[in-house]
């Protein structure tokens, strides 16, 4: 059929067997201002009872944005929000009141510290869902975790929503957790304390995804956003464990040109990074790259020419955030690129080795990082599962026991990372290799004296009298998911 | 129900009213090599008769990748491919044989030159679909144009598919058309002549989307990929038009601090950019930014401090591609960010002004860039529609007539951009303002002598005797779509 379209042309409505729509008119487009107050933005986003609001945790203990947003939601009289933060810290203690007031009734995201302690004793009607960094990205990507409104803190943003964490007084390093929220959420709000001219120079999040831009006085407390410095452990026991890690890498033959390393930000991990740098120097080798959380220690090795490339994710100190602002062109590694289980490849799968921690380890090499031995849920999973499954040599650094508590034990309180992907337990009493890794055992023969995991457990039990029995109720506090979305373990409320 | 999962834990299969899946086991992940020959990669992607294969056009007249891929497809005995390139040039003349051989039977994408001439005389069974840059992005994003396999040329790539157009012997500037293909295509193949160590430093396309990486000797002929230099017109008539454009901008009050400018790569557009730089200098004003295709002329003004920021899209000369490699940190503007009609904002909507060309203009201010007055389809739409609808002052620069052909006429042969979004026709015989833009007419009163579009048409008709009548057949060669997917116009085969 021929019809006259809005341009005055006679147009077929069916061309080569396909129905087509005639032109209806053109107009000039102008982008309406995206600037709004937080309250206006939430209302314009259609905030309703029961919705899911997401946040990133890159402002860490300095974050103002999560509390500020939930305060506003409370003022708007909205209830039963599901909070889908990437992580929560002690600064988020007001969450306890939001829960008590019914503003929040579900949490899917990592919880560290006081809020975890509270929920451990007062479970929510829906258990907390704990996922790894990659697992959370995958859950949002696959709509397992649908976000209604993503609230993204930025240390600089233009009025159309191009934004970054690299520049500004509240700089925290590249935004690397929120890309998938920006892409998948129904609505996206950027919150910044630093409105810059268009276009924002760095833009980890692009305006194409952003509905509203909210300017506030402070997105956080700069002193607590990133540590001023990240300190290497001064504890000789921990230094010893760190040296053992580097010794094991060396014995396995990993410390060579082209080595690929994941650096962590814990005290022992930082020490491992430092000692690895020294070892590279001593052997005159150049590692290919370091990924993961970046600190001054990593940059020092890079500057010394011993890491050929940096591949930045989250910055753990101010120095590294500043370094990235001053050295544009270093590729930024967002969490999807790092560990999205549904991606066509994950950066973590390149790793030769990773050094991770744990609150407990068991004789099946299962690792717990989420709960303490008293049953309280006090930590998130982070990249633990992602890197453990990606690295060729996954090392867990723990003391065999802490005071009266055996860390190496028969059964971890909660499984965070299954023993199948854990290769070595590096302790103050020796190194145990997962018997499944015959290749590693073969390589270190004659170079390192290994101990069995049962021996480590026995040492722990002898020194402490064994683990304290805890009685659990049926109530579920939280669940740990493997990054494919399946349930690894259930965290139950302790009988009080 | 309680079941024992693969970690040995007793897990509910229903938690808080939600069915959950028990953990089935963990394993170490290794990314299989993505390296393959082009033929292997296409086969592994499941190439079949009738599929849609996409390409970008950033290698321009130097491109080897489109021909190489279709040759391989022919060797594999596959037929009836729909080619969804962002644009095609004379270098793609072999397309005529691919069409004759039945390898290709549909084209959705811009066509410039010989292939357009051929199809104008020998229409395909399905008309060519012409879309603007933004319209094509939107069509792929909305699945109006579903891509089975995206083949992405890169001047540097690592073996996992992180890739760029910024570095390497075949550098062509940032890949800015293919992001949406990478995200939406069922399969993605990166083709490069420069395999670099992981991770590729620049990565406009990330490995997370890439299935295979193909290394070839040359992705293109560097001498033809980007022009060595882009030359400003030496034709006094065209220089006059360019001066008139800057005069109009000035009269409208656009040339001021904070001005936002779209630069083009045509001879007149380049001259406008140069004269604008001089005018900014003279008035001591600083424009906010320039977007769009970038050339040395734009960078010169930026270096002189008269453009505060660059916002790079496609590079039109080697100088600008090299400049970007040497100055990391200049934000890259991909086509989605530039003009995706479905995005929450488009960069083009910030523009104060844009200077565009045309093959014909009519008295309703409709512009044709696709066909010549003899009816042949010889050019793509490019960013014409996108910027025209986004800029506050959209100027079309044309001579009133060319030899015996009236350029300003009663009715354009094909509507590319409807008159509703066209504000000024700037010619060698004066400037006509769209009567709908009373605001502009008011502003220039007493500063510029305007002519009516009918006067321009009359001058053209007097000098040429009016347009030659062309007789069309019913056969459809192509269609022009507005960027919202509706049909603006139909290009019919000329009776021969």
């Amino acid at each position: 059929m021929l019809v006259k379209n809005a341009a005055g042309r006679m147009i077929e409505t069916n061309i080569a067997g396909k129905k087509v729509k005639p032109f209806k008119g053109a107009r000039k487009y102008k982008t309406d201002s995206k600037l709004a107050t937080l309250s206006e933005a939430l209302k314009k986003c259609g905030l309703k009872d029961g919705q899911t609001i997401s946040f990133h945790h890159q402002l860490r203990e300095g974050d103002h944005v999560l509390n500020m947003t939930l305060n506003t939601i409370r003022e708007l009289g909205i209830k039963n929000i599901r909070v889908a933060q990437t992580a929560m810290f002690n600064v988020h203690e007001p969450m306890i009141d939001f829960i008590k007031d019914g503003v929040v009734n579900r949490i899917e995201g990592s919880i560290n510290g006081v809020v975890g302690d509270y929920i451990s004793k007062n479970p929510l009607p829906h258990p907390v869902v704990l996922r790894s960094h990659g697992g959370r990205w995958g859950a949002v990507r696959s709509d397992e975790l649908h976000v209604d409104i993503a609230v993204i803190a930025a240390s600089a943003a233009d009025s159309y929503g191009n934004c970054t964490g690299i520049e500004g007084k509240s700089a925290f390093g590249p935004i690397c957790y929120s890309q998938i929220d920006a892409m998948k959420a129904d609505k996206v709000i950027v919150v910044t304390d630093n409105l810059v001219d268009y276009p924002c120079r760095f833009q980890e999040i692009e305006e194409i995804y952003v509905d509203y831009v909210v300017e506030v006085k402070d997105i956080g407390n700069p002193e607590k956003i990133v540590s001023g410095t990240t300190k290497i452990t001064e504890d000789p026991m921990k230094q010893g464990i760190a040296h053992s890690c580097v010794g094991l890498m060396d014995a396995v033959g990993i410390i060579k040109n082209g080595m690929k390393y994941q650096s962590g930000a814990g005290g022992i991990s930082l020490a491992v990074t430092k000692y690895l740098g020294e070892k590279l120097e001593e052997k005159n080798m150049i590692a290919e790259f370091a990924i993961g959380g970046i600190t001054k220690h990593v940059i020092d090795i890079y500057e010394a020419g011993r890491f050929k490339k940096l591949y930045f994710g989250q910055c753990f100190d101010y120095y590294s955030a500043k370094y990235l602002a001053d050295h544009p062109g270093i590729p930024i590694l967002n969490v999807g690129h790092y560990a999205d289980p549904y991606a066509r490849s994950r950066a973590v799968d390149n790793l030769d080795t990773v050094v991770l921690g744990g609150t407990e380890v068991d004789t099946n090499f299962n690792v717990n990082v989420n709960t303490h031995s008293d049953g309280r849920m006090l930590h998130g999973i982070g990249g633990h599962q992602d890197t453990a499954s990606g690295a060729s040599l996954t090392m867990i650094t723990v003391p065999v026991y802490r005071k009266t508590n055996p860390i190496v034990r028969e059964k971890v309180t909660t499984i965070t990372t299954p023993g199948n992907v854990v290769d070595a337990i590096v302790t103050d009493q020796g190194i145990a290799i997962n018997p499944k890794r015959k290749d590693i055992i073969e390589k270190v023969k004659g170079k390192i004296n290994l101990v069995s995991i049962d021996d480590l457990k026995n040492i722990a039990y002898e020194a402490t009298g064994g683990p304290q029995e805890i009685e659990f109720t049926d109530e579920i506090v939280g669940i740990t998911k493997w990054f494919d979305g399946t349930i690894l373990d259930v965290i139950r409320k302790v009988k009080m």
Side-chain angles (χ1 to χ4, degrees), chain A:
Chain A
M1 196 178 73
L2 274 174
V3 298
K4 194 188 224 180
N5 73 10
R9 296 293 167 121
M10 297 307 294
I11 301 292
E12 277 77 3
T13 52
N14 193 305
I15 295 180
K18 254 191 172 170
K19 261 187 81 167
V20 292
K21 278 181 270 182
F23 173 66
K24 300 181 301 283
R27 62 175 176 87
K28 291 280 187 181
Y29 287 68
K30 281 290 147 240
T31 302
D32 294 331
S33 172
K34 294 184 180 180
L35 293 173
T37 65
L38 188 50
S39 173
E40 284 165 4
L42 287 166
K43 281 192 279 185
K44 285 183 181 176
C45 286
L47 178 70
K48 279 190 200 65
D49 281 6
Q51 283 191 332
T52 299
I53 317 290
S54 79
F55 304 88
H56 70 67
H57 71 278
Q58 296 190 246
L59 296 161
R60 305 181 76 82
E61 285 290 5
D63 180 43
H64 288 176
V65 173
L66 193 151
N67 293 341
M68 178 192 302
T69 304
L70 288 172
N71 258 323
T72 307
I73 290 175
R74 169 158 48 194
E75 282 163 22
L76 291 170
I78 301 293
K79 301 272 184 186
N80 297 328
I81 291 298
R82 176 166 69 169
V83 177
Q85 81 290 1
T86 55
M88 216 180 271
F89 297 91
N90 285 337
V91 67
H92 300 116
E93 188 167 354
M95 180 60 69
I96 295 170
D97 284 327
F98 296 128
I99 291 170
K100 286 180 180 165
D101 294 355
V103 177
V104 171
N105 72 342
R106 290 159 296 160
I107 296 177
E108 301 207 10
S110 292
I111 299 183
N112 300 290
V114 288
V115 182
D117 181 64
Y118 173 81
I119 294 174
S120 297
K121 293 161 186 162
N122 306 276
L124 297 170
H126 299 254
V128 170
V129 180
L130 299 176
R131 296 182 177 92
S132 72
H133 290 332
R136 180 192 182 276
W137 185 288
V140 176
R141 175 168 171 179
S142 67
D143 270 329
E144 179 195 317
L145 174 57
H146 179 77
V147 177
D148 294 297
I149 305 173
V151 177
I152 301 174
S155 62
D158 61 43
S159 61
Y160 290 114
N162 296 300
C163 65
T164 184
I166 297 174
E167 289 183 316
K169 64 167 181 168
S170 305
F172 51 84
I175 300 173
C176 55
Y177 291 86
S178 304
Q179 281 80 4
I180 197 70
D181 298 51
M183 290 164 85
K184 297 287 297 182
D186 292 336
K187 295 287 177 180
V188 176
I189 300 171
V190 165
V191 178
T192 190
D193 52 12
N194 180 26
L195 209 55
V196 298
D197 284 344
Y198 185 93
C200 187
R201 179 182 174 218
F202 293 101
Q203 29 185 269
E204 297 93 68
I205 302 287
E206 290 177 73
E207 63 178 304
I208 55 172
Y209 300 116
V210 178
D211 294 286
Y212 299 102
V213 177
V214 173
E215 195 184 9
V216 297
K217 197 164 160 288
D218 296 299
I219 58 167
N221 174 355
E223 278 172 36
K224 295 186 173 173
I225 289 174
V226 280
S227 346
T229 54
T230 38
K231 263 207 175 161
I232 286 170
T233 181
E234 285 177 356
D235 178 340
M237 184 267 280
K238 290 182 178 172
Q239 289 180 345
I241 293 177
H243 276 299
S244 296
C245 287
V246 176
L248 179 58
M249 288 181 208
D250 200 16
V252 173
I254 282 174
I255 303 179
K256 59 182 182 201
N257 288 328
M259 142 173 215
K260 291 152 187 119
Y261 178 66
Q262 152 93 17
S263 57
I268 294 182
S269 290
L270 290 174
V272 173
T273 298
K274 180 163 180 270
Y275 303 156
L276 173 62
E278 290 164 3
K279 186 61 100 178
L280 287 165
E281 204 71 50
E282 179 194 318
K283 295 174 79 101
N284 195 23
M285 296 290 182
I286 296 172
E288 190 63 24
F289 62 79
I291 64 173
I294 301 281
T295 59
K296 179 174 187 300
H297 306 289
V298 177
I299 292 171
D300 286 345
I301 301 174
Y302 170 70
E303 289 273 331
R306 294 295 163 192
F307 287 145
K308 216 156 112 186
K309 294 175 180 178
L310 293 180
Y311 207 11
F312 261 87
Q314 196 179 352
C315 295
F316 282 116
D317 55 16
Y318 182 72
Y319 184 91
S320 58
K322 179 85 171 51
Y323 189 87
L324 193 51
D326 295 342
H327 297 78
I330 294 173
I332 290 168
L333 183 65
N334 68 43
V335 169
H337 199 146
Y338 180 70
D340 174 4
Y342 302 115
R344 290 171 196 178
S345 53
R346 315 186 303 169
V348 289
D349 293 339
N350 293 291
L351 290 173
D352 288 316
T353 187
V354 64
V355 179
L356 298 166
T359 55
E360 299 172 336
V361 165
D362 73 21
T363 48
N364 286 316
F365 289 81
N366 294 315
V367 183
N368 177 13
V369 298
N370 298 117
T371 55
H372 282 201
S373 300
D374 60 9
R376 288 180 304 151
M377 178 181 70
L378 295 177
H379 308 282
I381 298 175
H384 207 279
Q385 296 175 348
D386 308 315
T387 49
S389 68
S392 303
L393 171 61
T394 297
M395 292 183 276
I396 309 295
T397 58
V398 282
V400 168
Y401 57 91
R402 289 186 182 109
K403 293 179 186 162
T404 61
N405 187 38
I407 302 303
V408 181
R409 51 175 61 209
E410 225 180 303
K411 195 180 163 195
V412 288
T413 306
T414 304
I415 300 181
T416 304
T417 297
N420 237 359
V421 295
V422 172
D423 305 306
I425 310 298
V426 182
T427 76
D428 52 331
Q429 308 278 342
I431 298 173
I433 303 286
N434 190 327
K436 288 186 176 131
R437 293 302 301 269
K438 294 200 180 68
D439 58 324
I440 296 176
I441 296 169
E442 193 58 37
K443 278 179 186 160
V444 304
K445 202 173 270 177
K447 298 181 197 160
I448 287 183
N449 289 325
L450 300 177
V451 290
S452 79
I453 191 78
D454 284 309
D455 286 346
L456 292 177
K457 182 209 73 181
N458 291 337
I459 296 170
Y461 281 24
E462 241 161 70
T464 60
Q468 253 195 304
E469 281 297 320
I470 310 175
E471 230 180 312
F472 291 99
T473 69
D474 276 347
E475 270 186 282
I476 301 179
V477 168
I479 56 178
T480 60
K481 285 198 165 198
W482 184 236
F483 56 68
D484 63 2
T486 59
I487 309 288
L488 252 179
D489 210 346
V490 169
I491 301 167
R492 289 175 198 280
K493 186 182 163 185
V494 174
K495 197 168 267 179
M496 284 185 292

